[in-house]
Amino acid sequence: MESHSPYLDEQRQQPLRIYFIPFLAAGHILPLSDIARVFAARGHHVTIITTPSNAQIIRTSTPHHPNFLLHTVPFPSQELGLPDGIENLSDTFDDDTFMKVFNGMDTLREPIEHFLGRHPPDCIVADFMFPWVEDLANKLRVPRLVFNGFSLFAICAVESFRAHPVPPDASPPFLIHDFPHTVTMNATPPTLLREVLESTLEAELRSHGIILNNFVELDGEEYVQYYERTTGHKVWHLGPACLLHGTAEEKAERGQKSVLSVQKCMSWLDSKNPNSVVYICFGSLCCFPDCQLYEIACAVEASGCEFIWVVREKEGKEEEEEMKEKWLPKGFEERNSKKGIIIRGWAPQVLILRHSAVGGFLSHCGWNSTVEAISAGVPMITWPMHSEQFYNEKLITEVRGVGVEVGVDEWRSTGYGQREKVVGRGRIEVAIRRLMDGGNESQEIRVRAQELGKKARAAVQEGGSSFNNFTALIDELKRLRDCKHED
Ligand SMILES: *[C@@H]1O[C@H](CO)[C@@H](O)[C@H](O)[C@H]1NC(C)=O
Ligand SMILES: *[C@@H]1O[C@H](CO)[C@@H](O)[C@H](O)[C@H]1NC(C)=O
Ligand SMILES: *[C@@H]1O[C@H](CO)[C@@H](O)[C@H](O)[C@H]1NC(C)=O
Ligand SMILES: *[C@@H]1O[C@H](CO)[C@@H](O)[C@H](O)[C@H]1NC(C)=O
């Protein structure tokens, strides 16, 4: 196979044809498109398969390239009882809408199968939430890669608990078995979530390998080795996606146009001292009840810190006035008119995090947000809520030492629905102060965060770890294609 057959040499020069199938949520669509765009820039033919309104988002947020194409398949909003154009989970406000969009994604299978059958690619990259792509890839005899929106650290934790299950009646804390670091979990995932995570991991292990929106230095080589040793499976770190292309101005427009004008936000930050502002945002899928927002407001005010706080807009603008009353302490906005900004809706998160005035990020530890903070060298205040976020918290705080924890232990399947516990203002205030007070601990954390940010930027440069992982992956895919053509 490694002979000098002129036929093979010619083959190897041929661009690859790769299809990408992103899961329909902001934190999945944009990073995967960024990654896909790199394959296009390296001369390969890329097609993203998605629904019309999500295609529109990708079109406006990913820099144009002639090798980067979009193929749309319909999304049956009407049949699902959804308003026209609601095609991703970032538009959902409650469990019911969430489930409708979620279930609607199953209908993508048929048209995608049809398209693939007519135009078979050399490789399919699908989100790990779409395990059914396995059958399609097998039928076409093409390799399938899985885009996993988690950190490898979290995947390894899921794998460890799969191999060493916790007895059903046991209660936390739980040590993660046989791990490169001593990590103890103080919360347990709901059974349903654990089953979902484990079964997607199993489907993933039948793929050709996983690609991640992360860089090796953040997960650590020890977790790459752990993963390969325990699963015998391959992984490529191709991120941080948010550093792969595009200017800051383009980034501002991503996802959705931010509600507050970007300029206003930036000039407010320009007037602040370095590392003095705490940025608070719990991601595009999370909706807190009013009583929780109230506790956050009290904590922020008591901490004395300057802040930018993103609150997800609830449905129906008319309710806004009434809503404001309930979740903000009386006179909060007047008292804090100089100290802080509340953004209702979407914020230019990447730009905010990159501003030198921002010294901390109070976050739910969703992977996308975590990568954005780390890439910007901003330390975190961790408040995990659902999915795999409790594992991310451990990586951020105990393993890499780039954040402090609020100390929550209510682990849910999704960001919606009633939560049993309200996290009290005292605990939130303590965590904010611990990071923002300029003391020894906070300085050490800040230095480590800045160093990790430098490594993130180096990873995507020529010769960096992610750059080289891209090259290794392309070589591997060419090898697979050429083997196939030989037999
Ligand atoms: C989700 O879809 C809506 C259109 O319905 C769009 O406005 C929004 O930007 C989308 N979000 C992402 C990140 O794809
Ligand atoms: C997710 O990631 C993309 C790309 O890195 C970014 O532009 C977007 O703002 C992120 N945030 C959310 C909440 O989706
Ligand atoms: C802060 O650093 C100084 C000097 O290194 C040390 O003496 C002191 O104990 C430290 N304080 C804390 C809280 O770690
Ligand atoms: C990705 O990069 C890391 C760090 O340079 C390296 O150890 C690893 O082998 C690379 N992975 C692949 C699959 O080439």
Side-chain angles (χ1 to χ4, degrees):
M1 202 204 91
E2 297 301 328
S3 71
H4 293 282
S5 139
Y7 167 72
L8 275 181
D9 282 344
E10 197 185 308
Q11 267 280 316
R12 284 200 185 100
Q13 302 312 315
Q14 295 287 318
L16 291 159
R17 184 137 58 128
I18 315 176
Y19 291 172
F20 292 79
I21 311 176
F23 184 69
L24 307 185
H28 299 238
I29 296 172
L30 298 175
L32 188 56
S33 304
D34 281 336
I35 287 171
R37 175 65 170 68
V38 172
F39 287 97
R42 290 198 179 193
H44 301 286
H45 294 289
V46 163
T47 303
I48 308 242
I49 305 176
T50 192
T51 65
S53 86
N54 290 303
Q56 194 48 40
I57 303 302
I58 297 172
R59 218 169 268 127
T60 53
S61 61
T62 311
H64 173 77
H65 192 284
N67 288 353
F68 181 91
L69 301 177
L70 285 150
H71 175 76
T72 58
V73 291
F75 192 76
S77 304
Q78 261 188 346
E79 285 144 56
L80 294 161
L82 288 166
D84 225 22
I86 299 290
E87 299 177 359
N88 62 55
L89 294 177
S90 318
D91 283 334
T92 62
F93 291 89
D94 51 54
D95 265 331
D96 180 53
T97 318
F98 184 94
M99 286 320 293
K100 282 180 183 160
V101 176
F102 192 86
N103 293 332
M105 290 190 220
D106 279 343
T107 66
L108 304 181
R109 179 176 176 152
E110 207 184 295
I112 289 179
E113 182 162 14
H114 190 65
F115 176 70
L116 289 179
R118 276 180 304 143
H119 310 275
D122 295 315
C123 173
I124 305 175
V125 182
D127 196 282
F128 75 119
M129 298 296 288
F130 291 149
W132 46 264
V133 173
E134 183 180 357
D135 282 349
L136 306 190
N138 288 347
K139 252 187 231 167
L140 297 168
R141 294 179 55 237
V142 293
R144 171 179 70 109
L145 294 172
V146 172
F147 172 63
N148 186 309
F150 295 171
S151 59
L152 188 63
F153 180 86
I155 296 168
C156 289
V158 172
E159 169 57 24
S160 170
F161 281 116
R162 189 176 70 113
H164 309 277
V166 166
D169 50 354
S171 48
F174 300 115
L175 184 72
I176 308 185
H177 238 269
D178 192 22
F179 231 39
H181 293 80
T182 306
V183 179
T184 305
M185 301 303 299
N186 304 315
T188 15
T191 307
L192 181 65
L193 175 67
R194 189 175 46 74
E195 287 168 2
V196 169
L197 292 177
E198 289 179 6
S199 72
T200 45
L201 181 68
E202 280 166 25
E204 222 165 86
L205 292 177
R206 292 191 299 269
S207 73
H208 196 77
I210 53 178
I211 63 171
L212 300 173
N213 172 18
N214 195 2
F215 58 109
V216 171
E217 291 81 354
L218 174 51
D219 270 321
E221 295 266 3
E222 61 273 34
Y223 289 92
V224 176
Q225 285 156 14
Y226 177 92
Y227 182 74
E228 290 179 352
R229 177 168 57 77
T230 55
T231 67
H233 204 235
K234 288 188 194 161
V235 56
W236 287 271
H237 283 80
L238 304 180
C242 59
L243 295 179
L244 290 172
H245 348 255
T247 62
E249 288 65 36
E250 282 162 0
K251 292 231 150 47
E253 299 294 320
R254 305 194 63 169
Q256 291 169 7
K257 281 222 180 354
S258 66
V259 177
L260 191 81
S261 93
V262 174
Q263 258 116 346
K264 195 173 146 216
C265 200
M266 290 301 120
S267 58
W268 184 83
L269 282 171
D270 286 342
S271 73
K272 303 296 171 189
N273 290 327
N275 301 325
S276 66
V277 176
V278 58
Y279 172 59
I280 305 168
C281 178
F282 292 92
S284 48
L285 295 184
C286 160
C287 246
F288 274 132
D290 290 348
C291 57
Q292 184 63 77
L293 294 172
Y294 191 91
E295 292 300 308
I296 296 173
C298 294
V300 169
E301 190 164 23
S303 77
C305 278
E306 297 180 297
F307 62 89
I308 293 180
W309 182 12
V310 183
V311 180
R312 222 192 118 156
E313 215 170 355
K314 302 199 179 172
E315 226 167 8
K317 285 245 188 295
E318 329 77 59
E319 287 172 30
E320 204 178 286
E321 278 310 304
E322 192 196 327
M323 184 182 94
K324 202 153 97 184
E325 302 275 286
K326 276 193 256 154
W327 59 270
L328 280 180
K330 233 184 165 53
F332 180 93
E333 285 188 288
E334 294 70 29
R335 286 195 300 282
N336 292 286
S337 63
K338 294 228 162 55
K339 285 217 117 161
I341 297 183
I342 294 179
I343 300 178
R344 293 172 176 80
W346 190 274
Q349 173 156 309
V350 175
L351 285 184
I352 292 174
L353 286 169
R354 286 183 190 173
H355 198 287
S356 61
V358 174
F361 179 19
L362 173 54
S363 165
H364 67 314
C365 309
W367 189 247
N368 198 42
S369 289
T370 301
V371 171
E372 288 174 355
I374 301 283
S375 303
V378 176
M380 297 173 72
I381 303 164
T382 58
W383 179 332
M385 314 219 325
H386 57 97
S387 308
E388 90 300 3
Q389 294 158 4
F390 283 79
Y391 299 127
N392 297 340
E393 170 176 67
K394 293 293 176 181
L395 176 64
I396 296 159
T397 58
E398 291 174 22
V399 176
R400 297 287 159 239
V402 293
V404 301
E405 70 284 347
V406 172
V408 301
D409 61 4
E410 188 179 356
W411 192 334
R412 310 271 309 196
S413 293
T414 72
Y416 314 104
Q418 283 310 113
R419 306 181 73 80
E420 280 165 25
K421 300 181 187 171
V422 173
V423 179
R425 62 190 81 171
R427 190 174 266 212
I428 307 167
E429 183 193 340
V430 166
I432 295 176
R433 283 184 185 275
R434 213 175 128 197
L435 185 65
M436 301 299 290
D437 71 1
N440 283 4
E441 188 195 18
S442 76
Q443 277 175 25
E444 283 170 17
I445 290 174
R446 200 168 297 292
V447 168
R448 279 194 295 266
Q450 281 161 357
E451 280 166 3
L452 204 49
K454 279 191 203 128
K455 289 183 184 161
R457 291 186 286 279
V460 297
Q461 301 297 316
E462 192 164 345
S465 61
S466 293
F467 183 95
N468 289 343
N469 271 216
F470 264 112
T471 309
L473 177 54
I474 289 167
D475 289 347
E476 169 78 357
L477 292 177
K478 284 187 173 172
R479 189 185 64 79
L480 289 172
R481 176 191 60 187
D482 299 346
C483 285
K484 185 179 166 187
H485 282 266
E486 255 176 289
D487 55 52

